[in-house]
Amino acid sequence: MPWHAITRAMTRAGLCPTPPLRSDCRCGGWPTAILAGLLLLPGPVAAQDWPGQPSAERYQDARGSITMALAGDAIITRRISMFDEAPFRGLVELVRSAGVGVVNLEVLFHAYEPDVIPASQSGGAYMAADPEIAKELSWMGFDMVARANNHSLDYGQGGMDATTRAVAAAGLAQAGVGANLALARAPAYRETESGRVALISLSTTFPDQARAGSQRKDLRGRPGLNPLRHTREYVVPEEDLVSLRRVAERLGLGGGASGPADRITFLRERFRVGSDPGTVTRADPRDLAEIVAEVSNARRSADWVVVTSHTHERGNSRFEPPDFQMELARAVIDAGADVYFGHGPHVLRGVEIYKGKPIFYGLGNFIFQNETLDFQPGDNYESWDLPPEALAADFHDRRAERGTDWAQDVPNWQSVVAFPVFEGGRLTEVQLHPISLGFGLERTQIGRPMLADPALAQDILQQMQELSRPFGTRIDIVEGIGRIRTP
């Protein structure tokens, strides 16, 4: 007899259907005859005999398969949902078709409320957009946003908190900032048809005041972002080090005659003698250990784990990752992450397949509308030698004139959206869909992404082939899409 039939019959007979193992059972135990009868039942009761207990294979999110849509920096300051060009709508449908969409949010959503005050430092231009704009990202198909970047605290805690409210109101999960370091480091989770997805967001590029601080029993933690600090050391020929030491002694900067003979700290930078000149960077061990611990925590609480970092720092060129970023990416994969992707330098970087998991060192820009910011604090106008009567357009013009000319930097306006595909828990393919952000268009039009035309798509993907070759990654170009197939 099935178990549920036995318990139902016992209940009707006034007998406790639960074995008398609990102290609050008042039925006096099961009669001996019933216990003996249960022992004669033919074998264990199968799981399917229990009502409402389907086997694990019937659960939709137990299939171990998902396609992710991963995009780089989103500096979105204007609505985009009213447009219907085929290349734009095609991109939107691609993002919507993924099991989960993740993008770096590099703008703050607020209405300049009284507690939203410009910080003394920012990541460049102070970022701001109407809180309703957050809904444009969810309309486009994104589910989760990374919040840790060099603009997270442009407007202090007030701006950070206002953005948190707007992002939540848009139905987006968010990670990377918090009221203290523990909350900033913590994963965000999103329930999807393909399983539970965890997102850990961190930044390696930030004003130090934006770094979240630890909570203590006697003092609150500092609100801010999830940081990964790092060290940088320049390797130079011996004669260059001797020259630096001489200058330091002459100017009284310290680090002159004292200290090791083969290294010096000069203007807060570290130099050492070496035969192979270049730059060596290392992740801060404590920060890295804490981030890895969060990845391990997320691995045990989610079906899929995505880690992303905002990293402006460079290797030998802006198209190459620094040493510490490669150290970070491989460490989080080792700890259980399914995907790592970077952003920040506003250009593409290579792809590595490490232990069967994808590492995207830089996905470039996704939306780049930073020249339609309405207001900037006085400090920013003064830094560009602009008078008090200058307005926002004057600020953007001056930045373009004096060296921050985003409009003329072609790689800034070409990127990809990455779609890693997992089947049965294993990465089977990565698709790279090239996008154009409208190079050469007017300020009011530029920055909105569209699927690239065939000629531009070919150029972008060939660049990705070159950038990924040092990592041993082969990218095939098939009908305007980059494809990385795993064995």
Side-chain angles (χ1 to χ4, degrees):
M1 178 185 294
W3 176 258
H4 63 271
I6 294 173
T7 57
R8 188 161 52 243
M10 292 180 66
T11 301
R12 289 174 179 169
L15 299 173
C16 177
T18 304
L21 300 177
R22 292 165 32 201
S23 60
D24 61 346
C25 182
R26 300 178 181 178
C27 70
W30 287 1
T32 303
I34 291 180
L35 291 173
L38 290 176
L39 293 175
L40 298 176
L41 286 174
V45 180
Q48 59 265 29
D49 290 334
W50 285 78
Q53 296 291 326
S55 62
E57 290 77 11
R58 295 178 61 186
Y59 278 80
Q60 184 170 328
D61 61 359
R63 294 174 300 184
S65 301
I66 193 172
T67 297
M68 303 178 183
L70 309 176
D73 297 320
I75 300 179
I76 180 170
T77 58
R78 310 192 301 273
R79 287 186 59 224
I80 58 177
S81 55
M82 75 288 291
F83 296 107
D84 62 357
E85 306 98 332
F88 176 62
R89 288 288 174 163
L91 176 60
V92 172
E93 291 307 316
L94 276 173
V95 175
R96 289 177 178 176
S97 70
V100 67
V102 187
V103 66
N104 174 55
L105 179 63
E106 202 171 0
V107 71
L108 300 174
F109 297 123
H110 60 80
Y112 302 95
E113 296 89 346
D115 64 335
V116 176
I117 302 170
S120 61
Q121 289 180 286
S122 80
Y126 286 67
M127 293 295 173
D130 187 291
E132 288 296 307
I133 299 294
K135 296 175 182 177
E136 299 292 288
L137 293 174
S138 54
W139 167 86
M140 199 169 193
F142 288 101
D143 307 286
M144 313 182 81
V145 295
R147 292 278 309 279
N149 55 67
N150 55 306
H151 291 287
S152 300
L153 274 288
D154 278 1
Y155 285 89
Q157 183 181 356
M160 183 187 83
D161 290 344
T163 305
T164 297
R165 293 191 294 270
V167 169
L172 296 162
Q174 51 192 312
V177 299
N180 55 54
L181 182 60
L183 295 176
R185 291 218 196 276
Y189 295 97
R190 181 79 175 202
E191 310 300 331
T192 78
E193 294 179 354
S194 301
R196 195 179 198 211
V197 181
L199 173 66
I200 295 174
S201 165
L202 64 114
S203 187
T204 67
T205 309
F206 50 86
D208 199 54
Q209 66 187 20
R211 177 168 54 89
S214 300
Q215 183 100 352
R216 282 182 47 87
K217 63 181 180 180
D218 54 357
L219 195 64
R220 293 173 56 187
R222 181 177 57 253
L225 58 78
N226 179 13
L228 175 65
R229 290 165 289 184
H230 58 278
T231 60
R232 178 173 57 193
E233 193 171 48
Y234 295 99
V235 180
V236 298
E238 184 176 4
E239 57 269 23
D240 288 352
L241 193 77
V242 171
S243 298
L244 288 173
R245 194 180 300 281
R246 187 178 300 118
V247 172
E249 291 173 347
R250 185 179 302 126
L251 299 178
L253 297 176
S258 62
D262 65 341
R263 62 192 64 221
I264 185 176
T265 299
F266 182 76
L267 298 178
R268 297 185 180 182
E269 296 286 358
R270 302 176 184 179
F271 297 84
R272 68 173 171 85
V273 173
S275 58
D276 187 16
T279 306
V280 178
T281 60
R282 292 288 182 268
D284 179 87
R286 180 174 176 178
D287 283 348
L288 183 60
E290 292 182 3
I291 290 165
V292 163
E294 289 290 356
V295 175
S296 176
N297 169 54
R299 175 72 282 157
R300 289 170 285 168
S301 304
D303 300 293
W304 309 99
V305 181
V306 178
V307 179
T308 182
S309 79
H310 195 71
T311 301
H312 285 221
E313 294 80 12
R314 53 184 279 178
N316 293 323
S317 78
R318 62 176 176 156
F319 301 99
E320 299 177 23
D323 300 325
F324 78 86
Q325 188 186 15
M326 293 186 282
E327 179 185 7
L328 163 69
R330 293 164 186 169
V332 299
I333 296 294
D334 287 340
D338 296 290
V339 174
Y340 164 88
F341 76 101
H343 36 78
H346 302 299
V347 296
L348 291 169
R349 288 176 175 171
V351 182
E352 178 180 11
I353 304 300
Y354 174 74
K355 296 185 177 179
K357 302 296 176 63
I359 294 174
F360 306 94
Y361 284 110
L363 289 181
N365 289 324
F366 180 67
I367 301 173
F368 202 72
Q369 299 174 333
N370 73 325
E371 292 189 299
T372 46
L373 297 165
D374 291 330
F375 303 104
Q376 292 294 302
D379 298 0
N380 250 17
Y381 285 95
E382 293 170 7
S383 68
W384 293 100
D385 300 322
L386 288 166
E389 62 270 18
L391 297 175
D394 302 314
F395 171 78
H396 296 303
D397 288 345
R398 182 60 59 87
R399 289 181 82 206
E401 293 167 2
R402 294 196 177 180
T404 313
D405 191 358
W406 301 107
Q408 301 305 315
D409 185 22
V410 175
N412 192 68
W413 308 102
Q414 301 173 359
S415 188
V416 299
V417 179
F419 291 81
V421 179
F422 293 85
E423 296 288 345
R426 183 178 66 85
L427 179 72
T428 58
E429 184 183 33
V430 173
Q431 297 180 13
L432 303 174
H433 290 260
I435 60 173
S436 167
L437 277 66
F439 173 72
L441 295 178
E442 295 296 323
R443 181 174 293 168
T444 54
Q445 299 171 307
I446 199 169
R448 180 163 57 92
M450 294 194 189
L451 292 174
D453 63 47
L456 180 58
Q458 185 76 12
D459 290 343
I460 294 172
L461 293 173
Q462 286 178 345
Q463 180 188 10
M464 288 298 293
Q465 287 177 325
E466 291 298 317
L467 295 173
S468 303
R469 189 166 289 116
F471 301 106
T473 304
R474 174 180 171 177
I475 301 176
D476 296 320
I477 301 176
V478 182
E479 297 181 349
I481 300 171
R483 295 183 181 273
I484 303 170
R485 294 181 173 86
T486 57

